[in-house]
Amino acid sequence: MSSSHEHHQEHHIVPLKTLLGVFATLMVFTVITVVAARIDFGSLHTFVAMAIASIKAFFVLAYFMHLKYDDRTFLVSFLLSVFFLIVMYFFSALDIVTRIPLEGIL
Amino acid sequence: MSTADTTDTTEYNHHTAHHFDNAEAEYQASKLGLWVFLMTEILMFGGLFVGYIIYHQKMPETFAAGAQFLDWKLGSLNTVILIFSSLTMALSIYYAQMGKKAMVLYNLYITFFCGLGFMGVKAIEYSHKIHDGLLPGSLFSHAVEAGTNLPIYFSFYFVMTGLHGSHVLVGMGLIAWLIVRAHKGHFGPKYFTPLECVGLFWHLVDLIWIYLFPLLYLVG
């Protein structure tokens, strides 16, 4: 990754095989998501669906969006936004779960 | 200043903007700018996802009931269409890097029509919901389910898929622009920045759908 500054003109070309392989993988995981939705995981249901979606997201980000090959700046900017998303979720959830329950109010 | 590679005589020559040292600096700066925009997109959709997940935890039965009104087959079809369009978008960049201009065009056309197909399926879904009165908030008028919390589910459904659909439309507009430029032979191994940037945007739209599909259609 740090070598991207040294070769100035050459951009990494993601091989055709890799692109097709990523597409096939994404299709397989799409089937897995649909099948998994029929299995009862109880309270883990949402978690399982999100975990599978995150595996798919990894492949899209790493190969289609080149984060695996690019300068690390792009990976850092992406992770930064995800971090602040988690902060937003964390404090919102903290607020909701610690409220004193009143009838008919969220 | 143009560090012009003038060796290929017939090739379109992109002139690097004068405030960049060289073509590589311009390429990297364009991409960083686009990634900053993608960060704002992630946070915008993220707010909706946070809201969805919290309400989902608060009223799981309502969301399960809401998901029953969605057709997972149409949702899956749209997932396949969008992932395939991401592949063709990536392929258009691959072929630009290889210098195969005809293949760049083919792949851009396929990507565009996949976007159109996605919106077509969305239109079928929306028209069913509108017909059945499964609408957000106070517009909700489904007779059987009146008096439940379902309007909240459909508020999330329409806002999230609506915002996502509008991104698909914007993406299609950008791809149409790429097609026009590709016809003029603007893209090749030395210059494909617009393909790369629109590609990143298109993949993000795909990425958001990857999360929306299980959340709305399957988990519910």
Side-chain angles (χ1 to χ4, degrees):
Chain A
M1 289 201 188
S2 57
S3 65
S4 63
H5 289 295
E6 284 133 45
H7 325 263
H8 266 291
Q9 302 304 328
E10 295 305 313
H11 293 127
H12 186 272
I13 300 176
V14 186
L16 193 58
K17 258 189 199 167
T18 311
L19 293 175
L20 295 174
V22 168
F23 173 70
T25 312
L26 289 171
M27 286 293 106
V28 169
F29 277 101
T30 302
V31 174
I32 293 175
T33 326
V34 174
V35 174
R38 278 140 200 273
I39 304 166
D40 188 17
F41 291 107
S43 58
L44 285 176
H45 208 69
T46 311
F47 178 78
V48 170
M50 288 299 95
I52 298 170
S54 297
I55 295 170
K56 289 166 81 179
F58 167 80
F59 283 101
V60 172
L61 287 159
Y63 297 96
F64 284 170
M65 297 173 89
H66 316 138
L67 282 185
K68 188 169 183 276
Y69 311 102
D70 268 344
D71 195 283
R72 218 166 253 166
T73 318
F74 305 120
L75 178 64
V76 170
S77 29
F78 168 72
L79 291 178
L80 210 59
S81 65
V82 174
F83 170 74
F84 280 105
L85 196 57
I86 293 167
V87 170
M88 174 157 57
Y89 174 73
F90 177 74
F91 283 105
S92 306
L94 202 64
D95 169 39
I96 298 287
V97 299
T98 55
R99 284 186 194 181
I100 297 161
L102 288 174
E103 196 63 38
I105 296 171
L106 185 72
Chain B
M1 120 184 160
S2 169
T3 50
D5 309 275
T6 45
T7 42
D8 302 24
T9 46
T10 54
E11 201 144 302
Y12 166 81
N13 221 334
H14 171 72
H15 293 283
T16 307
H18 67 87
H19 49 281
F20 289 111
D21 286 344
N22 52 46
E24 177 65 14
E26 185 186 57
Y27 173 78
Q28 294 293 344
S30 304
K31 265 176 83 166
L32 184 60
L34 203 101
W35 268 106
V36 171
F37 167 65
L38 293 190
M39 289 166 79
T40 69
E41 291 277 69
I42 290 167
L43 291 172
M44 176 169 68
F45 277 98
L48 289 168
F49 277 107
V50 167
Y52 181 94
I53 291 170
I54 285 175
Y55 271 85
H56 182 258
Q57 284 163 349
K58 278 280 161 188
M59 36 182 85
E61 330 71 42
T62 303
F63 279 67
Q68 295 298 314
F69 288 98
L70 267 53
D71 188 343
W72 67 270
K73 284 175 202 143
L74 287 179
S76 308
L77 175 65
N78 260 352
T79 307
V80 173
I81 291 175
L82 221 51
I83 291 176
F84 183 70
S85 78
S86 255
L87 172 70
T88 54
M89 188 73 230
L91 285 177
S92 78
I93 296 167
Y94 171 81
Y95 285 115
Q97 289 173 316
M98 291 295 180
K100 293 183 179 164
K101 285 172 186 169
M103 291 300 283
V104 174
L105 264 173
Y106 290 148
N107 281 292
L108 285 175
Y109 273 115
I110 297 170
T111 313
F112 181 86
F113 284 109
C114 282
L116 204 62
F118 180 91
M119 293 313 288
V121 173
K122 208 80 253 168
I124 295 168
E125 290 188 279
Y126 273 18
S127 61
H128 283 175
K129 304 274 175 314
I130 292 166
H131 181 260
D132 293 343
L134 295 164
L135 292 166
S138 59
L139 298 169
F140 190 86
S141 59
H142 190 279
V144 184
E145 304 291 334
T148 64
N149 278 330
L150 267 188
I152 294 177
Y153 175 83
F154 282 99
S155 295
F156 276 112
Y157 172 79
F158 275 101
V159 171
M160 292 173 99
T161 60
L163 190 63
H164 178 265
S166 64
H167 277 76
V168 173
L169 286 177
V170 169
M172 284 168 65
L174 291 168
I175 291 164
W177 168 68
L178 290 180
I179 289 173
V180 171
R181 292 198 62 181
H183 267 295
K184 291 178 184 166
H186 284 192
F187 307 126
K190 293 188 189 88
Y191 180 71
F192 54 89
T193 311
L195 285 177
E196 177 80 20
C197 289
V198 174
L200 283 172
F201 175 75
W202 191 255
H203 296 312
L204 186 88
V205 172
D206 181 25
L207 204 63
I208 289 162
W209 183 257
I210 284 175
Y211 281 97
L212 271 184
F213 167 59
L215 267 187
L216 290 172
Y217 290 79
L218 302 175
V219 169

